[in-house]
Amino acid sequence: MAQVGQFALAMAVVVAAYSIVASLLGIRLKSDKLIASGRNAAIGTFACVTMAMVSLGYLFLVDDFSINYIAEHSNRDLPVYFKISAVWGGQEGSLLFWGWLLTVYSALVIVQNWRKHTAMMPYVTAVLMSSAVFFAGMNLFVVNPFNQIVVLQPGGVNALFVPPDGAGLNPLLQYILMVIHPPILYLGFVGFAVPFAFAIAAMASRQMGDTWIRTTRRWTMVAWFFLGVGILLGGKWAYVELGWGGFWAWDPVENASLMPWLIATAFLHSVMVQEKKGMMKVWNMVLIILTYIMCIFGTFLTRSGLVSSVHAFAQSPIGGYFLAFIVIGLSGSLYLLLDRLNYLKSDNQMESLVSRESSFMFNNLILLASCFAVFWGTIFPVISEAAPEWMGGGVKVTVGPPFFNRVNVPIAIFLMFLTGVGPLLAWRKASTNSLKRNFLWPAGIALAAGVVLFFQGVDHFYAWLAVVMSIFVSLTIAREFYKGARARSVGSGENFVEAVVNLTLRNTRRYGGYIVHFGFVLLFLGWSGQAFTTDTQAEAGIGDTITMRQYTLRMDRLAVEEVQNYTSTKATISLFENGEKVGVLYPERRFYSSSGQPTTEVAIWSTIKEDLYVVFAGPAPDGKKAIMQVYLNPLVAWVWIGGIILGLGTLIAMLPNKKSAPRTSQASRVEEKIEVEQHTT
Amino acid sequence: MNNTRRNLLLALLVLAAPFALAADRERIKEITSNMICMCGCNQLLGACNHLNCPTRGPMTDEVAKMLDEGKTQEQILPAFADKYGLRVLAAPPASGFNLSAWIMPFVALAIGFIAVGYVARRWKSRSPEQAAEAQSEIDTSKYHKRLQDELDNYTPED
Amino acid sequence: MIYLFCGLFGGAVLVAICKPLFSQDDTLESAIIEETAWDLLQRKKEIILGNIQDLDFEHKCGKLSDEDYQKIRGEMAGEVSLVLEEIDGIESSQDLDALIRHEVSVRKSGSHEPEPALCPSCGEKNIATSKFCAECGAKLIG
């Protein structure tokens, strides 16, 4: 079966390369036959990579440990669903998975748009297939998942070797969130290939209207949705599985997914300016190019080990290729952009600096600054190590959470402020008077709440500011819905709730967007709770208690159990709140025999106010007691609640607008009037 | 007598020790959250949760000892940096080459701000008269009814 | 067995790729232009109509003063009028279908791009067959 995979991979490279050539040549020679052939080749690439994926999955299922990748990432006892997730558990497989998703998207896009956008599609095909060639080529030549294990026999002869069992999947990945987290994240990363391809196609075919934006609007939102959900799931996984009490550590891998998300967020906002006013055309091109490049860079960062050390980068076989791909992609796109600048002139001028469009410009600026701060912090250790000594470089430094928090928290709070103010501004020009009127109440209430909070003892400045901003933004959002619904119900006679629902359904993008904003507010609020985390550590034997604030934990039982793939030590802990029993917690410690690694299974007692987070850190030196680490994490639940609302808002924004009932035409309006007059007389 | 006093003092010290520890806990946490555990986990010292981590205990004790000696965070962190290298600090110090780590994001923000301001100004000043002129030439009233009809029939796409 | 499978699979993909090369019907797909001047104008009209609708709504929600509202709405109405006039110009100047067919034949016949028509008023490059300038709306010569 490995041969089938190898064959399919090789074929994918050839077919995808042919697809590029045929599409571009077809455009040049104006040959529909070639273009159609290129299209079929793109769909053929999808078939080939799918075949490679299927054969890799099959090899995992049948425990074919003659294949290096299988032997390193699976073992016989691994449950079936983890064997499937192990397909993308390592470098080779995850790159194959990336490429596969790309071909899935390509095939979908081609089928969906071929008739609608005849002139652009050959270019779109060529751009998508360029990435496909890269990923399939990497898989074929550099990190081939189908390679067999070869051992050097005495006498210089190479021989195949089949280990009796595999090394097993990294235990930290043996978790249901980890089964779905990478695919979802990748769906986001890869999804941006579609708007990127359309942007390039628009420039190449000189179709510079907003067609490419309108065509890919949903694709962009889908990719953004998956990327956001993927990031959150990653945080959730870190929270429940890594056992250090938090969900976001500004790890390079986390940053790698955050950066494209930040730029894509800017893109989602600034396309509205182009759609409405025909401005910021060049900027939108820049943003989508950067987003996709950042997606590739993120994959590269995660997979090459660049950040852990420059030397790890040199050792990693894929680093150089990725860097070359990024440089070629970036310079190619930017060259095309510069060449087409003349076609991208703004249609309109800006009427006022106090307007929705200018607030979008600042929103973009802040999001990009934040992205840059993350980027800079992430790669700074590399820069510092590579910098010449006379500049003070050549030193290994760490850039960790204190840096990112200190730099990004003020930026994020300013972004919150814009989130609150932006919707208050009208397009073109907001009059100062109405702005004041709209601004006064939300800001006033938020400040009043701030004063109350201060006297309640919230003295952490940023946390205080975050709460005040959250209230302000929430109020402006509520106000938007209220005002909109009222304006609507005046005309339609609907009651308030109906009006809110219809308002949202008639303009899903705007009001879905507000819901997303609200989710973001809650998320931010939950995040700011991190400033107040407290923790304690204690050794506890059977019957011992640990007290933390109003909570008391009583150790009832310690049990050792052999499970299919690991040995588990599980504690049973009764939880009392103010002396009343409220629940039972089961923190657990696992030992995975195949890899020799221990993991912790955290027990979490979650309320909307705070999470009690119990980690079974290990057995105490005496062997009878257990070391328990207990964290009290305020407001964490709001991160997940905010995330869910964020996701729901995105889904609403993706809905097609409900068409309004056939509008009363001039004629029927006259009839109506007559009717009314007859009625009154 | 002397002996008794010494014993009493000792007892007091032993009794006081847990309280001192409790009071210092917060400060230790504050300082260790600015340091990286050197066991290779790349986590904050305060967050490293390896079972039997070889470095977390000794490093935390070292911090506690320095605190007892009356040193402040500003003295403890450089001392650690001297001993373990800059890598032990969770964020690079804001001096020398490493200052650029802190400054660059805000430099970028400032440059962006100026750029946005410049572009906005240019867009704003871009010949609003021209558009107005073009408009005044045609008779908008001719299209007044057409516009109303178009508006009535217009439904925003998806 | 495996080789047979690979052969069959590869063959099927190859057939799918090569089939269009030997098909007879010419679909003229490569000659279609999505964004003719007329398309762009239609789109522009829709955008302004949408903007007017939004403006009306935002005014109802109290984000604009009456004064600003009247002024901006007047401007927008003017913009729509301009666009409508241009659309009328294109539609009355020539049969629309003929316009498209002409574009198609021009693209199909020559490998060269058609010479752009320069606008005498603003200098904008227009599609050869345009009658009015897409940028400023002035009448094009030739």
Side-chain angles (χ1 to χ4, degrees):
Chain A
M1 201 57 185
Q3 291 100 314
V4 176
Q6 292 279 24
F7 174 77
L9 263 184
M11 184 129 176
V13 175
V14 175
V15 170
Y18 169 78
S19 172
I20 304 172
V21 174
S23 301
L24 295 179
L25 210 62
I27 300 165
R28 186 119 195 107
L29 303 176
K30 301 198 185 307
S31 156
D32 296 320
K33 292 173 183 173
L34 263 179
I35 290 177
S37 172
R39 172 199 62 196
N40 287 6
I43 294 170
T45 312
F46 160 66
C48 292
V49 183
T50 305
M51 184 56 72
M53 278 294 286
V54 169
S55 70
L56 188 61
Y58 175 81
L59 290 170
F60 265 105
L61 288 181
V62 298
D63 294 323
D64 189 339
F65 297 123
S66 70
I67 309 296
N68 192 28
Y69 185 70
I70 315 286
E72 278 178 7
H73 294 94
S74 179
N75 60 312
R76 289 187 197 282
D77 285 341
L78 200 65
V80 172
Y81 47 97
F82 286 137
K83 278 182 181 164
I84 290 171
S85 75
V87 167
W88 54 78
Q91 176 158 288
E92 293 89 341
S94 69
L95 288 182
L96 181 63
F97 188 64
W98 216 106
W100 180 65
L101 286 179
L102 180 70
T103 59
V104 173
Y105 275 154
S106 306
L108 278 176
V109 165
I110 287 171
V111 170
Q112 186 193 23
N113 291 298
W114 194 260
R115 292 269 147 222
K116 272 188 265 173
H117 302 289
T118 328
M120 272 191 211
M121 286 316 286
Y123 287 108
V124 171
T125 309
V127 175
L128 288 171
M129 284 303 113
S130 307
S131 293
V133 165
F134 173 73
F135 279 95
M138 290 290 289
N139 268 129
L140 184 62
F141 299 114
V142 190
V143 281
N144 193 318
F146 299 106
N147 279 347
Q148 289 175 309
I149 302 177
V150 177
V151 246
L152 193 67
Q153 299 282 359
V157 192
N158 285 331
L160 293 178
F161 171 71
V162 183
D165 199 357
L169 184 65
N170 183 343
L172 288 177
L173 304 183
Q174 297 191 26
Y175 191 76
I176 189 68
L177 276 176
M178 251 316 165
V179 175
I180 53 173
H181 161 67
I184 287 185
L185 199 63
Y186 279 15
L187 277 171
F189 274 163
V190 184
F192 287 111
V194 177
F196 171 76
F198 269 89
I200 299 293
M203 290 195 284
S205 63
R206 297 186 171 80
Q207 313 247 354
M208 302 299 200
D210 58 1
T211 313
W212 72 273
I213 287 180
R214 286 186 298 138
T215 309
T216 57
R217 181 197 289 160
R218 290 238 162 68
W219 277 103
T220 312
M221 272 198 256
V222 167
W224 187 82
F225 171 78
F226 280 125
L227 191 53
V229 171
I231 293 171
L232 277 167
L233 285 178
K236 181 89 185 168
W237 169 75
Y239 189 61
V240 297
E241 191 70 355
L242 296 184
W244 55 273
F247 48 86
W248 190 260
W250 297 103
D251 185 84
V253 178
E254 292 167 336
N255 296 348
S257 54
L258 184 65
M259 286 187 280
W261 186 85
L262 287 169
I263 306 185
T265 309
F267 178 71
L268 278 179
H269 286 92
S270 75
V271 287
M272 283 188 254
V273 181
Q274 177 165 353
E275 281 177 42
K276 283 209 168 260
K277 292 208 64 188
M279 297 163 83
M280 296 175 87
K281 292 179 180 175
V282 180
W283 182 238
N284 286 326
M285 289 286 176
V286 171
L287 282 182
I288 194 61
I289 292 168
L290 276 183
T291 303
Y292 186 57
I293 293 293
M294 271 298 168
C295 287
I296 306 273
F297 181 74
T299 314
F300 157 69
L301 209 59
T302 319
R303 287 291 151 206
S304 71
L306 166 70
V307 178
S308 56
S309 166
V310 192
H311 309 299
F313 167 63
Q315 284 157 13
S316 156
I318 67 166
Y321 297 101
F322 258 93
L323 212 55
F325 182 62
I326 289 172
V327 169
I328 293 171
L330 189 60
S331 48
S333 321
L334 291 181
Y335 171 76
L336 189 63
L337 180 62
L338 287 176
D339 191 58
R340 299 289 196 269
L341 270 188
N342 277 339
Y343 291 82
L344 290 167
K345 271 184 275 174
S346 280
D347 298 341
N348 279 304
Q349 78 278 0
M350 188 129 120
E351 281 83 357
S352 163
L353 284 179
V354 187
S355 60
R356 183 78 64 82
E357 45 268 52
S358 75
S359 83
F360 276 139
M361 285 170 79
F362 284 106
N363 143 303
N364 271 228
L365 171 66
I366 295 298
L367 282 167
L368 253 78
S370 168
C371 176
F372 178 77
V374 175
F375 175 76
W376 185 248
T378 308
I379 63 158
F380 190 78
V382 182
I383 294 177
S384 170
E385 201 180 346
E389 299 223 357
W390 56 266
M391 283 174 72
V395 193
K396 249 180 149 36
V397 296
T398 312
V399 180
F403 173 85
F404 291 105
N405 286 334
R406 238 167 280 166
V407 174
N408 273 307
V409 166
I411 295 180
I413 288 179
F414 189 63
L415 190 64
M416 289 275 283
F417 174 73
L418 282 181
T419 312
V421 175
L424 295 179
L425 302 170
W427 286 95
R428 297 205 180 204
K429 186 170 187 263
S431 45
T432 333
N433 263 339
S434 41
L435 183 61
K436 258 187 218 152
R437 207 173 49 231
N438 292 333
F439 194 78
L440 197 66
W441 279 110
I445 296 176
L447 274 179
V451 171
V452 172
L453 272 175
F454 181 76
F455 285 111
Q456 294 258 315
V458 180
D459 54 357
H460 189 287
F461 176 66
Y462 279 140
W464 178 83
L465 205 56
V467 175
V468 172
M469 280 296 167
S470 300
I471 294 171
F472 170 64
V473 177
S474 307
L475 286 173
T476 59
I477 294 169
R479 202 173 176 287
E480 275 295 298
F481 276 99
Y482 170 72
K483 286 265 176 183
R486 217 182 50 176
R488 201 187 147 76
S489 61
V490 165
S492 63
E494 290 163 340
N495 71 36
F496 186 74
V497 179
E498 271 172 1
V500 168
V501 172
N502 281 324
L503 187 73
T504 312
L505 292 180
R506 294 272 152 81
N507 196 339
T508 55
R509 200 170 173 211
R510 174 187 294 171
Y511 291 97
Y514 288 151
I515 294 173
V516 171
H517 283 180
F518 184 60
F520 173 69
V521 166
L522 294 183
L523 206 156
F524 193 69
L525 205 61
W527 195 69
S528 67
Q530 274 189 311
F532 304 101
T533 299
T534 49
D535 68 303
T536 184
Q537 191 174 5
E539 288 177 17
I542 307 290
D544 288 352
T545 57
I546 307 167
T547 303
M548 197 167 191
R549 300 253 180 90
Q550 75 271 40
Y551 297 104
T552 305
L553 299 124
R554 191 185 67 206
M555 173 81 86
D556 289 343
R557 219 163 83 86
L558 264 175
V560 181
E561 196 186 340
E562 288 287 336
V563 189
Q564 187 185 13
N565 211 14
Y566 55 84
T567 314
S568 130
T569 317
K570 205 183 228 171
T572 307
I573 292 176
S574 295
L575 175 67
F576 300 86
E577 186 175 0
N578 299 323
E580 257 178 75
K581 184 166 175 174
V582 286
V584 185
L585 300 173
Y586 303 99
E588 186 184 345
R589 190 163 181 84
R590 291 181 182 171
F591 186 79
Y592 285 80
S593 35
S594 61
S595 56
Q597 275 190 64
T599 68
T600 57
E601 297 296 308
V602 178
I604 300 171
W605 177 258
S606 186
T607 64
I608 56 165
K609 207 171 136 242
E610 59 206 352
D611 277 15
L612 188 77
Y613 182 100
V614 185
V615 186
F616 191 150
D622 69 357
K624 282 180 190 155
K625 292 182 171 182
I627 303 176
M628 288 290 159
Q629 205 144 16
V630 186
Y631 295 80
L632 209 53
N633 298 329
L635 302 177
V636 173
W638 291 101
V639 172
W640 320 126
I641 295 171
I644 290 167
I645 291 178
L646 217 150
L648 286 178
T650 319
L651 290 178
I652 288 175
M654 276 189 256
L655 287 177
N657 279 339
K658 195 169 141 193
K659 298 268 184 250
S660 30
R663 294 283 200 89
T664 42
S665 67
Q666 203 83 355
S668 62
R669 216 181 275 165
V670 173
E671 275 167 33
E672 241 170 65
K673 209 175 173 191
I674 294 170
E675 214 171 289
V676 172
E677 274 167 10
Q678 280 172 346
H679 204 76
T680 46
T681 47
Chain B
M1 175 65 189
N2 206 357
N3 220 0
T4 337
R5 258 180 75 178
R6 240 182 70 190
N7 280 346
L8 197 69
L9 208 69
L10 238 150
L12 263 177
L13 263 177
V14 170
L15 270 177
F19 295 107
L21 270 178
D24 279 351
R25 236 192 112 76
E26 281 301 303
R27 299 213 45 210
I28 292 175
K29 203 189 141 204
E30 199 184 316
I31 292 170
T32 52
S33 64
N34 281 308
M35 286 159 60
I36 297 288
C37 183
M38 298 309 281
C39 68
C41 65
N42 262 336
Q43 279 182 308
L44 293 179
L45 182 55
C48 175
N49 55 357
H50 281 182
L51 177 64
N52 305 327
C53 172
T55 53
R56 184 192 58 216
M59 285 174 79
T60 315
D61 291 346
E62 222 171 319
V63 172
K65 207 179 114 223
M66 286 171 146
L67 272 175
D68 285 347
E69 289 165 9
K71 288 187 176 156
T72 62
Q73 179 169 337
E74 287 70 36
Q75 290 167 310
I76 295 174
L77 289 180
F80 267 87
D82 285 343
K83 188 170 170 193
Y84 294 95
L86 275 181
R87 225 152 52 88
V88 76
L89 303 181
S95 63
F97 180 75
N98 292 318
L99 189 60
S100 61
W102 294 95
I103 287 182
M104 278 301 279
F106 294 101
V107 169
L109 185 64
I111 292 174
F113 207 82
I114 294 168
V116 167
Y118 172 74
V119 170
R121 219 154 255 289
R122 224 187 53 183
W123 275 348
K124 206 184 158 222
S125 62
R126 188 192 291 162
S127 58
E129 327 79 47
Q130 221 179 53
E133 255 175 50
Q135 266 171 43
S136 61
E137 278 171 19
I138 47 160
D139 181 14
T140 53
S141 62
K142 191 172 93 187
Y143 289 100
H144 188 76
K145 198 189 157 296
R146 211 26 216 285
L147 170 64
Q148 200 51 54
D149 286 351
E150 293 265 13
L151 263 180
D152 284 340
N153 293 323
Y154 172 80
T155 38
E157 49 153 0
D158 56 349
Chain C
M1 180 62 197
I2 279 174
Y3 294 109
L4 184 70
F5 181 78
C6 287
L8 279 176
F9 175 71
V13 173
L14 277 183
V15 167
I17 295 171
C18 295
K19 201 172 152 257
L21 293 177
F22 301 103
S23 74
Q24 287 304 312
D25 49 310
D26 227 352
T27 49
L28 287 186
E29 273 174 7
S30 63
I32 292 177
I33 307 147
E34 285 165 44
E35 295 178 341
T36 60
W38 186 83
D39 289 321
L40 288 175
L41 285 170
Q42 284 294 344
R43 174 74 192 131
K44 204 168 168 183
K45 182 187 80 185
E46 268 172 35
I47 290 173
I48 305 174
L49 288 177
N51 286 351
I52 293 181
Q53 220 173 48
D54 275 359
L55 185 80
D56 289 352
F57 193 74
E58 296 207 319
H59 175 240
K60 269 199 228 166
C61 294
K63 278 185 211 168
L64 290 132
S65 64
D66 291 341
E67 199 183 316
D68 280 342
Y69 170 68
Q70 296 300 347
K71 187 169 158 279
I72 294 176
R73 202 172 193 285
E75 283 169 19
M76 284 179 171
E79 284 167 27
V80 175
S81 306
L82 269 179
V83 174
L84 285 176
E85 185 166 58
E86 280 184 68
I87 291 175
D88 287 351
I90 289 182
E91 285 178 353
S92 62
S93 70
Q94 237 170 330
D95 172 17
L96 198 65
D97 282 350
L99 200 73
I100 294 170
R101 271 198 299 279
H102 182 64
E103 284 274 0
V104 168
S105 63
V106 167
R107 294 271 161 141
K108 196 68 189 163
S109 61
S111 53
H112 300 291
E113 299 215 351
E115 282 289 310
L118 289 180
C119 172
S121 149
C122 70
E124 172 79 4
K125 281 180 189 171
N126 281 280
I127 298 165
T129 48
S130 298
K131 293 285 167 198
F132 293 89
C133 173
E135 179 74 12
C136 67
K139 199 160 166 63
L140 298 173
I141 311 154

